[in-house]
C-alpha cells in the first residue's frame, strides 16, 4: 500500500546521508507548519494562506532536487511524504478551525491517511508487500492543497448549485461558497479512487506472495 501523501522519489541510489539539500528543504517546509498555525490563529488569514500556499507549492521541489542531484537518502524517502502528510493535515485542521471546512471532510482525510499508514506498515513488515504509488494520488494531493488554500483565503465566492441545503455540503446549496471547496471535492474523489486501487493492488500482490511462499515450501 502506498505511503502517506502519495509521494514517490522513484528508483535511485539511496544514501544514508542526513544533511542533504532535499532533506533541508523538507525540514524547512515542516518548520512552516507552526508558523502557519500561529498566523492563522492570530486572525491573519491572508498571511496564513500565503504561508500554506508556499509550503504546498514547494511540494515537488525536494523530490525533484533529490532526483536531479542524485541525492536520494533513506531519511528523505521518509521525510518527504511525512511532511506532505503533516502539511495536508495542518491545512485541513486550520480550515476546519476557521469554519471553512465541514467536519466530515476532515474526518475522512484523517481516516484515509491513517488507513494507508497502518495498512501499508502491516503489509510491508508482515508480508513484505509494497504497492507503488501512482500519479493520480499526487493529483489528488495537489487538488486538496489548492482547495485548502482557497478555503483559507475565502475568496472568490462562486454561486451554489441549489441542489441541497444541507449545511455539511457547502457549495451544493443556494448560498455562495469559496471556489476552494470544489477543488477539495475533486481531491477527495480522486483520493477515494486511488485508495480503492491501492487496496486491489495490495490484495493481488499479497496473493502472489502467498503463492510464491507455498511454491518454495
Amino acid at each position: 500500500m502506498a505511503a502517506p501523501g502519495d509521494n514517490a522519489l522513484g528508483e535511485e541510489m539511496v544514501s544514508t546521508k542526513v544533511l542533504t539539500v532535499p532533506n533541508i528543504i523538507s525540514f524547512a517546509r515542516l518548520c512552516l507548519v507552526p508558523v502557519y498555525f500561529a498566523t492563522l490563529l492570530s486572525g491573519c488569514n491572508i498571511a496564513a494562506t500565503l504561508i500554506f500556499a508556499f509550503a504546498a507549492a514547494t511540494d515537488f521541489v525536494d523530490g525533484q532536487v533529490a532526483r536531479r542531484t542524485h541525492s536520494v537518502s533513506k531519511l528523505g524517502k521518509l521525510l518527504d511524504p511525512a511532511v506532505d502528510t503533516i502539511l495536508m493535515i495542518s491545512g485541513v485542521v486550520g480550515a476546519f478551525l476557521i469554519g471553512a471546512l465541514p467536519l466530515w471532510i476532515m474526518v475522512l482525510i484523517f481516516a484515509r491517511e491513517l488507513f494507508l499508514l497502518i495498512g501499508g506498515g502491516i503489509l510491508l513488515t508482515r508480508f513484505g508487500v509494497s504497492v507503488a504509488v501512482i500519479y493520480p494520488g499526487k493529483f489528488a494531493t495537489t487538488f486538496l492543497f489548492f482547495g485548502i488554500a482557497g478555503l483559507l483565503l475565502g475568496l472568490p465566492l462562486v454561486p451554489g448549485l441549489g441542489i441541497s441545503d444541507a449545511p455539511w455540503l457547502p457549495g451544493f446549496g443556494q448560498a455562495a461558497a469559496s471556489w476552494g471547496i470544489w477543488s477539495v471535492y475533486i481531491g477527495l474523489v480522486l483520493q477515494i479512487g486511488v485508495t480503492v486501487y491501492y487496496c486491489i493492488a495490495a490484495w493481488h500482490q499479497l496473493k502472489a506472495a502467498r503463492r510464491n511462499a507455498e511454491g518454495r515450501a
Side-chain angles (χ1 to χ4, degrees):
M1 196 167 293
D6 300 304
N7 198 13
L9 289 176
E11 297 297 326
E12 288 276 355
M13 294 295 293
V14 181
S15 74
T16 58
K17 293 182 179 179
V18 174
L19 291 178
T20 64
V21 174
N23 290 350
I24 293 174
I25 294 174
S26 294
F27 183 72
R29 294 177 64 226
L30 182 61
C31 289
L32 289 176
V33 171
V35 179
Y36 154 74
F37 271 118
T39 307
L40 183 67
L41 295 178
S42 66
C44 302
N45 286 24
I46 295 178
T49 302
L50 293 175
I51 293 170
F52 178 81
F54 176 78
T58 54
D59 174 29
F60 70 96
V61 174
D62 40 14
Q64 286 292 325
V65 171
R67 283 191 291 269
R68 294 179 183 277
T69 61
H70 305 288
S71 54
V72 177
S73 66
K74 291 183 179 180
L75 175 62
K77 294 187 74 172
L78 295 174
L79 187 60
D80 184 23
V83 171
D84 288 346
T85 300
I86 292 171
L87 184 61
M88 172 65 66
I89 291 175
S90 299
V92 168
V93 170
F96 172 74
L97 289 177
I98 65 173
L101 191 73
L103 176 62
W104 71 270
I105 294 181
M106 184 176 71
V107 171
L108 181 60
I109 292 176
F110 276 24
R112 190 254 185 185
E113 296 295 337
L114 189 62
F115 173 72
L116 291 182
L117 179 64
I118 296 176
I122 292 174
L123 287 174
L124 185 61
T125 56
R126 292 190 58 182
F127 306 104
V129 171
S130 177
V131 179
V133 300
I134 55 177
Y135 279 107
K138 196 65 175 177
F139 295 151
T141 301
T142 301
F143 273 109
L144 286 173
F145 276 153
F146 273 117
I148 291 170
L151 291 174
L152 293 173
L153 187 60
L155 295 172
L157 298 179
V158 296
L161 298 180
I163 297 176
S164 171
D165 289 328
W168 50 274
L169 282 176
F172 284 90
Q174 298 290 343
S178 168
W179 67 270
I181 193 64
W182 296 109
S183 185
V184 169
Y185 287 148
I186 294 172
L188 285 177
V189 171
L190 287 174
Q191 276 200 338
I192 292 171
V194 168
T195 303
V196 171
Y197 165 82
Y198 287 153
C199 290
I200 295 174
W203 174 248
H204 286 304
Q205 287 200 25
L206 186 57
K207 289 197 298 183
R210 286 178 173 175
R211 285 196 298 267
N212 291 336
E214 292 172 357
R216 292 193 297 268

